[in-house]
């Protein structure tokens, strides 16, 4: 058994393989900058790649959901754990994933060719990270996030609304702006109560895999509109705006409660806005001014 360690948002992920010939670096190219030789932070979860060939007989289908690049079937096990069948866009089964109730001890069996195995393993790790993270105030957020100085600014929206377009406008027109992650940055509330946002190995179609941490400056939901304007949301509105952007399982009481508690704590310290905008420079400068306090 060989072990690999990754430091993701200051939490350790251990990946174990039964077969020493498994080429983890090849299967997970976006994880390279997160690899560490020895764990130096708390262990979040262990995922073992094994040869378990068949699904668990006693399981209950919870739901199937479209991930945008495939389908995942979710099953509840009699011991409170979960089983997932992760399929690609062609309907091919790529990974059978089993997790205990806390998502701290997980196993997966990979199937198919290299492309299928890489897809299955990447998606399995993203799932278990998101759900294990719920137990330590850690949230995987569907957002495009820029960094400016020591602050991070994620923009959330429904797919196709223009998150990446808006962050690209920041990078074009706001000097010093860098892309931190373009699809799934990670937000953590640390023990001192301060929120931070991190790069992750999951960045959608944009290969932006940065092992960086920034203080969370503000969160902004983008809505397309004929004119540019921005409003700060009241706490209840902020909660309703942010919660759907976080990866979770509403049917799991503990995980969903943990997420709701973390989001509630987050909006106590972090301003949340809605930006009604066009895809133009004015919108980028408007949001920059409001979020950073440098509005003219």
């Amino acid at each position: 058994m060989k072990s690999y360690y990754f430091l993701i948002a200051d939490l350790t992920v251990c990946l174990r393989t039964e077969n020493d010939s498994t080429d983890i670096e090849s299967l997970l190219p976006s994880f390279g900058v997160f690899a560490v030789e020895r764990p130096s932070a708390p262990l979040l979860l262990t995922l073992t790649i094994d040869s378990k060939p068949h699904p668990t007989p006693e399981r209950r289908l919870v739901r199937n959901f479209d991930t945008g690049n495939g389908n995942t079937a979710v099953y509840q096990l009699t011991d409170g754990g979960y089983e997932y069948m992760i399929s690609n866009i062609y309907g091919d089964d790529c990974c059978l994933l089993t997790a205990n109730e806390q998502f701290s001890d997980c196993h997966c069996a990979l199937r198919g060719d290299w492309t299928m195995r890489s897809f299955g393993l990447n998606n399995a790790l993203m799932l278990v990270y998101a759900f294990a993270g719920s137990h330590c105030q850690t949230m995987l957020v569907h957002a495009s996030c820029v960094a400016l100085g020591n602050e991070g600014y994620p923009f959330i929206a429904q797919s196709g609304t223009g998150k990446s377009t808006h962050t690209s406008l920041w990078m074009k027109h706001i000097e010093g702006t860098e892309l931190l992650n373009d699809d799934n940055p990670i937000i953590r509330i640390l023990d001192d109560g301060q929120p931070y946002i991190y790069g992750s190995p999951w960045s959608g179609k944009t290969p932006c895999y940065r092992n960086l941490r920034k203080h969370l400056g503000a969160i902004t939901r983008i809505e397309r509109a004929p004119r540019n304007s921005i409003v700060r949301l009241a706490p209840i509105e902020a909660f309703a705006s942010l919660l759907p952007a976080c990866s979770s399982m509403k049917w799991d009481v503990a995980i969903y409660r943990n997420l709701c508690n973390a989001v509630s704590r987050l909006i106590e310290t972090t301003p949340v806005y809605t930006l009604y905008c066009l895809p133009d420079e004015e919108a980028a400068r408007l949001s920059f001014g409001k979020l950073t306090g440098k509005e003219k």
Side-chain angles (χ1 to χ4, degrees):
M1 188 74 70
K2 187 172 183 179
S3 297
Y4 301 82
Y5 297 99
F6 304 95
L7 186 65
I8 303 173
D10 290 332
L11 294 169
T12 300
V13 172
C14 176
L15 183 61
R16 305 171 69 195
T17 61
E18 283 188 339
N19 188 343
D20 288 348
S21 66
T22 303
D23 189 351
I24 295 301
E25 292 183 5
S26 173
L27 289 173
L28 298 172
S30 64
F31 281 66
V33 298
F34 300 90
V36 293
E37 289 189 9
R38 299 178 183 276
S40 58
L43 179 64
L44 178 66
L45 65 93
T46 298
L47 174 63
T48 302
I49 303 174
D50 58 30
S51 55
K52 181 180 178 181
H54 302 296
T56 304
E58 297 182 6
R59 61 180 190 172
R60 176 181 62 87
L61 178 64
V62 177
R63 63 172 294 187
N64 283 283
F65 62 93
D66 184 350
T67 59
N69 58 358
N71 182 80
T72 297
V74 186
Y75 301 88
Q76 180 110 51
L77 304 180
T78 55
D79 62 0
Y82 287 93
E83 196 160 80
Y84 300 82
M85 181 58 77
I86 300 170
S87 305
N88 62 17
I89 197 170
Y90 305 107
D92 302 317
D93 294 339
C94 301
C95 177
L96 177 65
L97 169 67
T98 305
N100 67 347
E101 191 173 3
Q102 300 293 318
F103 287 85
S104 58
D105 184 21
C106 309
H107 295 257
C108 74
L110 303 178
R111 301 178 177 183
D113 59 17
W114 178 90
T115 301
M116 292 170 59
R117 293 164 66 85
S118 177
F119 174 85
L121 182 56
N122 215 309
N123 279 269
L125 282 164
M126 184 167 63
L127 278 173
V128 297
Y129 188 97
F131 302 145
S134 71
H135 299 287
C136 54
Q137 299 187 106
T138 299
M139 294 155 275
L140 193 66
V141 183
H142 183 46
S144 181
C145 182
V146 290
L148 184 62
N150 294 321
E151 302 291 308
Y153 301 99
F155 292 86
I156 60 177
Q158 292 186 348
S159 296
T161 302
K163 300 183 297 296
S164 298
T165 298
H166 192 75
T167 52
S168 68
L169 289 167
W170 269 56
M171 289 185 287
K172 182 177 180 179
H173 299 294
I174 310 301
E175 185 178 357
T177 302
E178 298 178 307
L179 187 65
L180 181 63
N181 185 276
D182 200 36
D183 197 52
N184 282 284
I186 297 165
I187 294 176
R188 288 192 63 200
I189 302 173
L190 301 187
D191 292 340
D192 62 0
Q194 288 298 306
Y196 291 86
I197 190 160
Y198 298 76
S200 83
W202 307 288
S203 189
K205 297 177 182 178
T206 304
C208 182
Y209 313 112
R210 308 189 68 187
N211 193 2
L212 294 176
R213 180 182 86 171
K214 300 291 181 178
H215 184 264
L216 182 61
I219 301 168
T220 306
R221 176 170 289 278
I222 291 176
E223 299 280 355
R224 282 284 167 246
R227 295 185 303 275
N228 295 318
S229 63
I230 187 168
V231 294
R232 182 169 178 175
L233 302 182
I236 294 177
E237 296 171 318
F239 182 90
S241 180
L242 178 56
L243 184 64
C246 302
S247 298
S248 185
M249 298 192 297
K250 291 183 179 180
W251 58 86
D252 187 291
V253 174
I255 287 176
Y256 194 62
R257 180 180 61 242
N258 289 342
L259 174 62
C260 290
N261 289 340
V263 171
S264 296
R265 287 199 63 191
L266 191 61
I267 61 179
E268 291 175 0
T269 59
T270 306
V272 180
Y273 296 88
T274 294
L275 173 67
Y276 302 94
C277 66
L278 295 162
D280 60 14
E281 177 182 351
E282 180 189 69
R285 294 196 179 279
L286 174 65
S287 61
F288 162 75
K290 178 65 74 172
L291 273 52
T292 62
K294 297 178 180 179
E295 56 188 334
K296 296 180 180 179

